[in-house]
Amino acid sequence: QVQLAESGGGLVQAGGSLRLTCAASGRTFRNYFMAWFRAAPGKEREFVAAIVWSGAHTIYADSVRGRFTISTDNAKNTVYLQMSSLKPEDTAIYYCAASDTFHYYPTPSNFASWGQGTQVTVSS
């Protein structure tokens, strides 16, 4: 089983930055496909960014491309989401997810393992 634990959320002003962390455990992640999703109040969970564990390939949602960066630290079994130029519409619960299969167009149903989520609130 894969265990995922997010941290790093909080309250930040518009234009600010945050770095989310996803600590992964339970198995070897060398061939895993990791992603961040978010769920705003009253909205469905949406894709934010994804990365092949080796870091060789990344995918971003149009709404965050150029502002967010996803990365991995293999030695620490950790995935990061660096968020910059934050906007009020980025306010959501952010979830880390893991899949043993690469997906060109990631959706929540592609991922079997999920963390508990971390709240990000961006004030205007």
Side-chain angles (χ1 to χ4, degrees):
Q1 294 294 328
V2 174
Q3 291 83 43
L4 304 173
E6 305 95 334
S7 62
L11 174 64
V12 63
Q13 290 188 332
S17 299
L18 279 176
R19 188 178 78 162
L20 305 184
T21 298
C22 173
S25 61
R27 61 175 302 149
T28 301
F29 293 92
R30 185 172 303 168
N31 298 318
Y32 261 62
F33 183 56
M34 306 297 294
W36 288 94
F37 288 80
R38 66 186 181 186
K43 295 187 177 181
E44 294 185 355
R45 198 167 298 191
E46 66 173 1
F47 170 72
V48 175
I51 187 168
V52 174
W53 192 264
S54 66
H57 190 67
T58 57
I59 306 172
Y60 292 95
D62 289 343
S63 58
V64 307
R65 187 176 293 111
R67 300 188 298 122
F68 291 10
T69 301
I70 188 170
S71 63
T72 60
D73 184 328
N74 293 340
K76 296 182 179 180
N77 271 1
T78 300
V79 182
Y80 300 103
L81 184 68
Q82 178 67 49
M83 306 185 295
S84 303
S85 302
L86 283 162
K87 306 174 182 180
E89 51 264 44
D90 293 318
T91 295
I93 299 174
Y94 283 70
Y95 298 91
C96 179
S99 171
D100 59 4
T101 305
F102 176 82
H103 301 277
Y104 281 102
Y105 304 101
T107 65
S109 63
N110 297 145
F111 296 82
S113 300
W114 292 84
Q116 80 288 350
T118 185
Q119 176 72 47
V120 172
T121 303
V122 184
S123 62
S124 57

